[in-house]
Amino acid sequence: VFDLKTYLEQSRAHIDAALTRYLEAPHPRPRIVAAMAHSLMAGGKRLRPILCRASAEAVGQAPSAPLMAAACALEMVHTYSLIHDDLPAMDDDRTRRGQPTCHVAFDEATAILAGDGLLTLAFEVLSRPEALVGIDPETWRQVICQLALAAGHHGMIEGQMRDMAAEKHPLDRKGLEAMHRLKTGALIRAAAGMGARLAGASADALGRLDRYAAALGLAFQVADDILNVTGDPERMGKAVGTDADHGKSTYPALLGLEASRRMARQMVDEALQAIETFDNRASPLRAIARYSIDRSR
Ligand code: IPE
Ligand code: IPE
Ligand code: MG
Ligand code: MG
């Protein structure tokens, strides 16, 4: 039987090793690199890179260098988004991944630049010659394009804009779902799509994985909202109760905890349904879907 815990641990170790290599810098390490590493290497779950690799695995085999570059680029973009999300001008949080947030450990200007640095590094990594080994240029272009679109103002950035605007004008259910699909769902969809493309997925498999990841992304953010109410801050490495303090539009605020949990479970069922025709190479994807709402961090 498939053991998710071992799978996650092994994937994380690979990804962390690659991320460390990408951040290598001459000694003494420049302050900006220290700030980037502070957030990047603080021990995130690495869900997006893991999902990228698991999606490739589910449909075939991707060449390892491009797959690892894509996986790491996803984590760099994600970590940049967290650094900026925590800034005083945004969610104003002081703890992340069990550490002081970047602007607390360093200073606000450095945190802004560390986010910028990680976002830029993501695309630099993707443009290195070794990242293309074994992949045709058109596929690689599509992979880069998918990441850029998901991260930018068509995706995550627009989601973050709506999240901030909703502090003043609360969203209805439809608006809330749309915001979650953008701020969190877009990058998660990109993660699955990038991995699948690199493994040469058929159009049908790509479509199924996209439906899987869209549902997973929504479930994942609903779980994040729920954990902000019920979670253990020690375990999560970040503060709880902050959404309510800021008057954030969230599922628990709008529907209550029980209905939010139900809705998250429905989304996981939808994710599983989307890939029900896949064979047991999709076991990791199935386990990740269940884990997305059962998690305590
Ligand atoms: C937190 O993401 C912010 C969301 C988009 C929900 P994660 O829960 O993946 O955070 P890390 O990467 O494990 O720290
Ligand atoms: C984070 O959303 C979304 C992005 C960083 C794009 P939240 O603000 O809800 O996530 P946490 O709870 O701070 O991790
Ligand atoms: Mg936020
Ligand atoms: Mg936040």
Side-chain angles (χ1 to χ4, degrees), residues 11-285:
S11 300
R12 248 175 234 143
H14 280 300
I15 292 155
D16 285 358
L19 288 171
T20 303
R21 284 197 297 277
Y22 284 128
L23 271 185
E24 259 166 30
H27 287 281
R29 191 158 71 163
R31 184 172 159 82
I32 185 61
V33 180
M36 290 157 72
H38 170 83
S39 294
L40 189 64
M41 304 316 297
K45 293 184 289 295
R46 312 305 194 203
L47 173 80
R48 295 147 192 82
I50 290 171
L51 186 60
C52 178
R53 289 158 52 98
S55 297
E57 199 183 324
V59 296
Q61 216 186 349
S64 61
L67 187 61
M68 188 53 98
C72 288
L74 279 157
E75 187 63 22
M76 290 169 189
V77 169
H78 168 59
T79 303
Y80 122 74
S81 82
L82 297 179
I83 294 174
H84 284 191
D85 181 74
D86 291 332
L87 285 168
M90 297 195 69
D91 291 352
D92 194 13
D93 273 309
R94 301 186 62 80
T95 315
R96 168 73 67 183
R97 293 178 164 172
Q99 307 277 338
T101 46
C102 197
H103 66 274
V104 171
F106 291 82
D107 57 74
E108 210 175 315
T110 303
I112 292 170
L113 293 168
D116 295 340
L118 285 171
L119 174 58
T120 309
L121 179 60
F123 289 93
E124 189 238 308
V125 159
L126 294 177
S127 70
R128 290 185 191 182
E130 63 266 27
L132 267 98
V133 174
I135 208 80
D136 74 277
E138 173 55 18
T139 302
W140 194 237
R141 188 197 63 75
Q142 288 171 6
V143 165
I144 295 172
C145 185
Q146 185 161 20
L147 178 60
L149 285 173
H153 66 279
H154 300 285
M156 182 175 75
I157 294 293
E158 172 63 16
Q160 289 287 65
M161 285 296 285
R162 293 188 195 183
D163 179 285
M164 298 311 299
E167 288 187 12
K168 295 199 179 73
H169 304 283
L171 294 165
D172 62 13
R173 174 136 188 201
K174 208 165 144 247
L176 181 60
E177 180 177 323
M179 173 185 82
H180 277 18
R181 287 188 186 276
L182 289 166
K183 81 168 185 179
T184 304
L187 198 62
I188 288 180
R189 271 172 83 184
M194 290 161 71
R197 271 179 216 282
L198 289 174
S202 66
D204 177 67
L206 269 180
R208 289 175 186 280
L209 279 169
D210 190 55
R211 280 198 284 129
Y212 160 88
L216 170 73
L218 185 53
F220 188 81
Q221 181 62 49
V222 176
D224 187 83
D225 288 356
I226 293 171
L227 284 169
N228 195 273
V229 180
T230 65
D232 168 11
E234 278 299 310
R235 174 95 187 101
M236 295 193 328
K238 60 185 182 184
V240 299
T242 51
D243 287 343
D245 289 349
H246 287 99
K248 290 280 190 190
S249 281
T250 66
Y251 273 83
L254 195 67
L255 304 181
L257 278 174
E258 254 334 290
S260 301
R261 289 199 181 100
R262 218 173 312 128
M263 136 81 189
R265 278 198 297 272
Q266 270 167 20
M267 285 299 115
V268 170
D269 288 342
E270 198 175 306
L272 293 172
Q273 239 168 46
I275 56 166
E276 72 189 346
T277 57
F278 287 25
D279 61 24
N280 59 13
R281 291 174 304 170
S283 298
L285 291 182

